[in-house]
């Protein structure tokens, strides 16, 4: 039981950790959102510690208020932190307030923080098609990588791809439908693939069915070893209980094929950006799944698709 005030930062963080872990396990929703991965729990804790120790005090002698939150976030914005980082800090503090039982009635719009005018890293439609066509038509590219790139081309998050199972794939008259629940929205989404992309997915599923006899709860992309010839070489233990490919590995695969097809030094970079894996200080180029996702959404906006329809399709929840 947490004692009455004053309370140390360490005590708050211990309570916050237990609360986040319980929320992650029980899939409790706040404003329609769930915590979908352990990485999110770790990142929330790291940011909460940084915010409390560097922007509040080491000993909190009274419950924090939304006015304190405003001062913290506006100060971060004034000293040059990017829009995405401040959005994440807002989410961290909102969860912390729910955990501690402090009053929270602060909307994002009330802060009045706007994105800075600089180009986010994304691929153009021509660049995305060039990479995908090169991968699909190259006989040296493993079938698994072709199927992965097809789904990345649709703008699906790497974490969502890693969670897909064979039963998420529906085939109707040669067309593939991908039915899944986006990790950051929690509502079912259906993605319809064109015939060229569908053929790749159908071929990959056919291969999996030839290898694995038990298909219930089978990951769409099990982990395995690739030989030099680009053929599959499964381990015996993999056949019994296959584990899914990791989201981090998907990032590495996408970067490899983008770098092999597109110029080596893209101009569209963000010098300061924290990826979903918290790689601090790394220059994020569009040669990643984010580049495909952002490029796909940007192309739809340019085609005058309604933002509400795009949000529903791609699992985006406006602040």
């Amino acid at each position: 039981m947490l004692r009455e005030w004053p309370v140390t930062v360490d005590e708050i963080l211990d309570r916050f950790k237990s609360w986040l872990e319980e929320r992650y396990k029980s899939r409790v929703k706040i404003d329609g959102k769930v915590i979908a991965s352990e990485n999110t729990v770790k990142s929330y804790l790291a940011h909460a510690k940084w915010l409390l120790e560097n922007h509040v005090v080491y000993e909190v002698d009274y419950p924090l208020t939304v006015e304190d939150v405003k001062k913290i976030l506006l100060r971060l914005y004034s000293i040059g932190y990017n829009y995405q980082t401040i959005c994440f800090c807002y989410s961290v503090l909102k969860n912390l307030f729910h955990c501690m039982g402090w009053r929270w009635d602060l909307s994002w719009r009330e802060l009045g923080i706007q994105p800075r005018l600089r180009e986010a890293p994304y691929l153009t439609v021509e660049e995305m098609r060039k990479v995908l066509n090169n991968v699909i038509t190259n006989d040296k590219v493993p079938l698994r990588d072709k199927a992965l790139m097809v789904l990345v081309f649709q703008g699906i998050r790497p974490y969502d791809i890693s969670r897909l199972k064979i039963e998420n794939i529906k085939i109707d008259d040669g067309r593939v439908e991908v039915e899944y629940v986006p990790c950051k929205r929690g509502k079912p989404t259906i993605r319809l693939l064109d015939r060229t992309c569908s053929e790749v997915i159908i071929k990959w599923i056919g291969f999996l069915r030839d290898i694995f006899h038990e298909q219930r709860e089978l990951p769409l992309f099990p982990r395995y070893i690739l030989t030099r010839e680009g053929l599959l070489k499964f381990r015996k233990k993999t056949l019994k209980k296959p584990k899914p490919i990791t989201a981090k590995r998907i990032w590495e695969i996408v970067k490899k094929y983008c770098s092999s097809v597109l110029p080596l030094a893209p101009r569209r970079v963000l010098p300061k950006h924290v990826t979903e894996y918290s790689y601090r200080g790394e220059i994020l180029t569009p040669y990643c799944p984010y580049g495909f996702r952002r490029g796909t959404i940007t192309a739809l906006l340019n085609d005058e698709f309604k933002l509400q329809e795009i949000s529903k399709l791609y699992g985006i929840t406006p602040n």
Side-chain angles (χ1 to χ4, degrees), residues 282-301:
E282 178 182 359
I283 294 179
L284 180 67
T285 74
Y287 294 3
C288 64
Y290 176 85
F292 277 86
R293 180 175 172 82
R294 183 63 181 265
T296 303
I297 294 173
T298 301
L300 291 176
L301 288 173

Side-chain angles (χ1 to χ4, degrees), residues 296-309:
T296 303
I297 294 173
T298 301
L300 291 176
L301 288 173
N302 291 338
D303 289 339
E304 297 184 354
F305 272 72
K306 292 183 179 179
L307 182 59
Q308 184 177 2
E309 296 175 357

Side-chain angles (χ1 to χ4, degrees), residues 121-137:
Y122 64 87
L123 296 171
T124 65
V125 174
E126 292 74 19
E127 289 171 331
M128 290 189 290
R129 287 175 178 169
K130 183 177 181 180
V131 174
L132 183 65
N133 291 337
N134 183 273
V135 169
I136 290 179
T137 58

Side-chain angles (χ1 to χ4, degrees), residues 4 12 49 101 178 212:
E4 296 299 325
I12 293 177
K49 180 175 181 171
V178 184
F212 296 95

Side-chain angles (χ1 to χ4, degrees), residues 10-228:
D10 287 340
E11 289 176 311
I12 293 177
L13 292 175
D14 287 341
R15 181 170 174 178
F16 192 37
K17 179 181 179 182
S18 301
W19 185 85
L20 287 173
E21 291 174 344
E22 178 60 29
R23 188 186 162 201
Y24 167 60
K25 293 177 182 177
S26 58
R27 308 286 290 182
V28 174
K29 293 183 178 180
I30 293 180
D31 294 340
K33 298 181 181 180
V34 299
I35 295 179
S37 74
E38 293 180 357
N39 285 337
T40 303
V41 173
K42 294 177 181 178
S43 188
Y44 270 33
L45 285 172
H47 280 74
K49 180 175 181 171
W50 174 71
L51 287 166
L52 289 172
E53 291 185 348
N54 294 280
H55 300 278
V56 190
V57 287
Y58 283 96
E59 186 172 76
V60 181
D61 56 3
Y62 59 90
L64 297 179
T65 67
V66 292
E67 292 300 322
D68 296 318
V69 174
K70 286 182 182 179
K71 292 178 182 178
I72 293 171
L73 298 181
L74 291 174
R75 180 175 180 274
L76 292 177
Y77 187 72
S78 67
I79 61 179
Y81 280 86
N82 65 45
Y83 182 81
Q84 291 81 2
T85 298
I86 299 174
C87 284
F88 191 78
C89 290
Y90 169 86
S91 180
V92 170
L93 290 169
K94 179 170 66 174
N95 277 268
L96 180 62
F97 270 58
H98 280 284
C99 166
M100 300 299 295
W102 300 334
R103 185 177 64 86
W104 180 270
D105 56 2
L106 177 64
S107 68
W108 175 257
R109 292 183 179 85
E110 189 176 341
L111 292 170
I113 296 176
Q114 299 295 327
R116 301 187 189 278
L117 297 177
R118 60 181 180 183
E119 187 178 15
Y122 64 87
L123 296 171
T124 65
V125 174
E126 292 74 19
E127 289 171 331
M128 290 189 290
R129 287 175 178 169
K130 183 177 181 180
V131 174
L132 183 65
N133 291 337
N134 183 273
V135 169
I136 290 179
T137 58
N138 192 337
D139 294 335
K140 295 182 180 180
V141 175
L143 182 57
R144 180 207 65 175
D145 291 1
K146 293 182 179 181
L148 273 173
M149 292 301 295
V150 161
L151 297 183
V152 170
F153 181 75
Q154 308 303 317
I156 303 177
R157 291 186 179 95
Y159 184 75
D160 289 329
I161 294 176
S162 69
R163 295 193 306 162
L164 289 176
K165 296 180 173 58
I166 281 189
E167 55 257 38
N168 292 116
I169 305 299
K170 311 298 180 184
I171 303 173
D172 182 21
D173 192 27
R175 296 288 296 275
V176 166
E177 287 185 355
V178 184
E179 299 180 2
Y180 71 103
V181 178
C183 63
K184 294 188 177 180
R185 191 165 187 267
K187 294 184 179 180
T189 296
I190 298 177
R191 198 66 56 82
L192 180 65
L193 277 58
D194 62 34
R195 293 197 177 275
T196 301
C197 292
S198 295
E199 289 175 3
V200 176
I201 299 297
I202 292 172
K203 188 176 180 180
W204 170 244
I205 290 178
F207 177 85
L208 290 178
R209 287 174 174 167
D210 290 340
I211 296 293
F212 296 95
H213 300 292
E214 178 61 41
Q215 297 174 22
R216 187 174 59 180
E217 296 297 312
L218 177 65
L220 183 60
F221 297 103
R223 298 183 191 181
Y224 59 83
I225 300 174
L226 288 176
T227 64
R228 290 185 178 180

